[in-house]
Amino acid sequence: MSSQANRSNHQHISEPQQIYLDYAATTPVHPEVLDKMVQCLSFSGTFGNPASRSHSYGWHAEELVEHAREQVAELIHADKKEIIWTSGATESNNLALKGIAQFYSGKGKHIITSQIEHKAILDTCAELEQQGFEVSYLQPEKQTGLITPEMVQHVIRPDTILVSLMLVNNEIGTLTNIEEISEITRNNGTLLHVDAAQGAGKVSIDVEKTAIDLMSLSAHKIYGPKGIGALYARRSPRVRLKAQIHGGGHERGMRSGTLATHQIVGMGEACRLAKTQRIQEQQRISILRGKLFTGLQDLTPIILNGHETQHVANYLNVSFADTQKADLIINTIKKFAAVSSGSACNSHQSSPSHVLTALGVAPYLAENAVRFSFGAYTTEQDIETVLTALKAVLQPNTRNTQQPLVQLI
């Protein structure tokens, strides 16, 4: 990196703090989570290797790991023996898809997913296609991003071994009707994997009531640390996986590697807090989302990307339709708030979001889209600040002098 680029980065860091509206990318660690983690790092704390069975340092670490396993299981109404520790949702997705495909390849080689999944799913499916598997990519409903049970029913086959769909889309917040889809997969003898990285802590999850066989979870989306996640794998009826990481037989042979006690404890505590605060937080954030959406509508023509009602409160993805003012609007927003023009996992790419493209959003609207995502530290004043900044540059009193470019959603 050039010295000029370095100076530019330092200047950016020293600028006044932006309002954080990118909780879909990551969340800050909750203070209570941090306290629990710190207690597992020093010599005076529980720093031992959980796999060390010959002394108390290892025993105490193992106790904390198993307690955290139970906390994660409680968030999704699972048995703690069904929780496998991973490095995050990306690894969980890889283990689920590759592990199932390779173990059940004798039964069939057909997999179903959708065009708007996270890249951890899409890239893994592309790799499985190279290994001889056939993947059907469901096209979502235009504009809303819904993946319906009827879509799954239309393409499922006797040789379909796995359906993998996300619970909440990471760019538009649209919810998938997993409950009805699970009935289809169970009746067909097909396994169902759900990427719940963006859904855990936001919607009620019960893997016992719903016939979900595998579920990916991530700590850093729910105020836990980065670098830790989990995969739920059903024990009855038992789901079998071919391990992808070997060396030591940890996690019942399904994922080898020394367990990071401090991160695991952090994820457990984050799940505990998410379970207790979910309903209240969704109600609070829903008000903030509505305030921002209405405020933007009053200022400029926008199009909602995602479903109007079937969504979580945390995300709002809109395209700014006034091509003459879109750059001004987006630059103003980014001056005051940390937002995303797509998913953080694709931020290095200049091409339009694959999610918005699959929704049929016109290229110019996809390029002028912004994802706002709200969380624990978002306030009504934050929303007011963004809207006030936009009012200052858009002069709303002249807005209706011209015909709107598109119908407001």
Side-chain angles (χ1 to χ4, degrees):
M1 181 180 289
S2 69
S3 58
Q4 183 178 358
N6 273 318
R7 284 196 300 272
S8 176
N9 285 341
H10 287 306
Q11 288 170 357
H12 177 73
I13 292 172
S14 64
E15 289 176 356
Q17 189 80 7
Q18 292 174 301
I19 296 165
Y20 190 70
L21 294 177
D22 202 17
Y23 286 83
T26 195
T27 60
V29 174
H30 192 285
E32 291 183 40
V33 172
L34 184 58
D35 288 344
K36 296 285 186 181
M37 294 176 64
V38 169
Q39 296 169 21
C40 301
L41 292 170
S42 67
F43 187 73
S44 61
T46 311
F47 74 95
N49 187 331
S52 297
R53 304 292 173 83
S54 58
H55 51 69
S56 61
Y57 293 95
W59 301 337
H60 292 159
E62 185 182 24
E63 287 177 3
L64 291 183
V65 166
E66 293 309 307
H67 178 61
R69 200 188 301 272
E70 187 171 357
Q71 289 175 312
V72 174
E74 287 176 351
L75 180 63
I76 63 173
H77 293 88
D79 187 297
K80 73 173 189 176
K81 295 179 181 178
E82 298 173 310
I83 302 300
I84 305 165
W85 299 118
T86 68
S87 63
T90 292
E91 185 189 338
S92 295
N93 288 341
N94 273 261
L95 176 57
L97 270 64
K98 294 175 182 175
I100 291 297
Q102 294 170 9
F103 191 92
Y104 292 93
S105 60
K107 179 183 176 183
K109 289 197 169 186
H110 182 233
I111 297 169
I112 298 172
T113 188
S114 85
Q115 297 175 356
I116 58 172
E117 298 302 304
H118 191 279
K119 286 294 185 179
I121 295 294
L122 296 178
D123 288 353
T124 301
C125 284
E127 172 63 25
L128 290 173
E129 286 181 297
Q130 293 295 316
Q131 298 177 21
F133 291 87
E134 179 186 354
V135 182
S136 294
Y137 297 91
L138 301 176
Q139 183 174 5
E141 183 178 274
K142 295 298 183 183
Q143 204 62 47
T144 71
L146 283 182
I147 301 294
T148 66
E150 291 76 18
M151 294 176 185
V152 176
Q153 185 67 68
H154 182 69
V155 298
I156 200 166
R157 309 183 324 210
D159 65 334
T160 304
I161 56 173
L162 180 67
V163 172
S164 178
L165 295 170
M166 58 180 17
L167 179 59
V168 174
N169 187 272
N170 60 305
E171 291 193 27
I172 58 175
T174 297
L175 272 164
T176 303
N177 188 345
I178 293 298
E179 186 172 352
E180 289 189 21
I181 290 173
S182 72
E183 295 176 4
I184 296 170
T185 54
R186 182 57 58 88
N187 291 336
N188 196 64
T190 298
L191 296 173
L192 174 63
H193 166 251
V194 175
D195 180 351
Q198 298 286 359
K202 301 177 181 69
V203 297
S204 177
I205 299 174
D206 191 330
V207 295
E208 280 305 312
K209 281 186 178 180
T210 307
I212 297 171
D213 300 292
L214 303 115
M215 177 174 284
S216 298
L217 301 166
S218 173
H220 81 101
K221 305 295 187 181
I222 54 171
Y223 309 95
K226 299 174 183 65
I228 183 67
L231 177 66
Y232 157 78
R234 181 178 289 277
R235 286 170 62 88
S236 179
R238 187 179 181 186
V239 174
R240 307 295 293 273
L241 294 165
K242 189 177 189 310
Q244 302 299 305
I245 299 177
H246 303 88
H250 305 78
E251 295 300 277
R252 302 184 301 280
M254 287 184 279
R255 199 276 186 178
S256 292
T258 301
L259 297 178
T261 307
H262 63 296
Q263 289 177 297
I264 288 171
V265 166
M267 183 170 185
E269 181 67 8
C271 286
R272 183 190 71 80
L273 292 170
K275 183 180 179 182
T276 60
Q277 299 172 0
R278 179 182 64 82
I279 296 176
Q280 181 180 354
E281 265 298 275
Q282 283 296 293
Q283 292 172 345
R284 186 185 72 87
I285 292 175
S286 180
I287 294 172
L288 299 179
R289 180 188 187 276
K291 182 179 181 65
L292 179 59
F293 187 43
T294 301
L296 291 174
Q297 282 184 315
D298 290 341
L299 289 171
T300 185
I302 61 172
I303 295 178
L304 174 67
N305 299 314
H307 198 276
E308 191 173 354
T309 58
Q310 195 167 317
H311 62 80
V312 293
N314 306 69
Y315 310 132
L316 175 63
N317 191 311
V318 297
S319 291
F320 295 95
D322 187 338
T323 55
Q324 294 181 346
K325 295 182 179 179
D327 285 344
L328 173 63
I329 293 169
I330 294 172
N331 288 335
T332 301
I333 291 171
K334 289 187 174 181
K335 180 180 179 181
F336 288 88
V339 295
S340 175
S341 299
S343 65
C345 305
N346 298 320
S347 60
H348 64 285
Q349 298 177 353
S350 59
S351 58
S353 156
H354 74 280
V355 172
L356 299 187
T357 299
L359 265 60
V361 176
Y364 82 96
L365 290 174
E367 290 173 1
N368 294 335
V370 172
R371 179 190 69 184
F372 302 90
S373 47
F374 319 99
Y377 298 96
T378 309
T379 66
E380 186 174 355
Q381 182 57 53
D382 292 337
I383 305 303
E384 285 286 357
T385 299
V386 173
L387 293 175
T388 299
L390 287 175
K391 287 177 185 177
V393 299
L394 288 176
Q395 298 177 334
N397 59 313
T398 62
R399 174 185 166 229
N400 293 324
T401 59
Q402 293 181 348
Q403 187 70 18
L405 295 177
V406 295
Q407 181 180 358
L408 299 182
I409 299 299

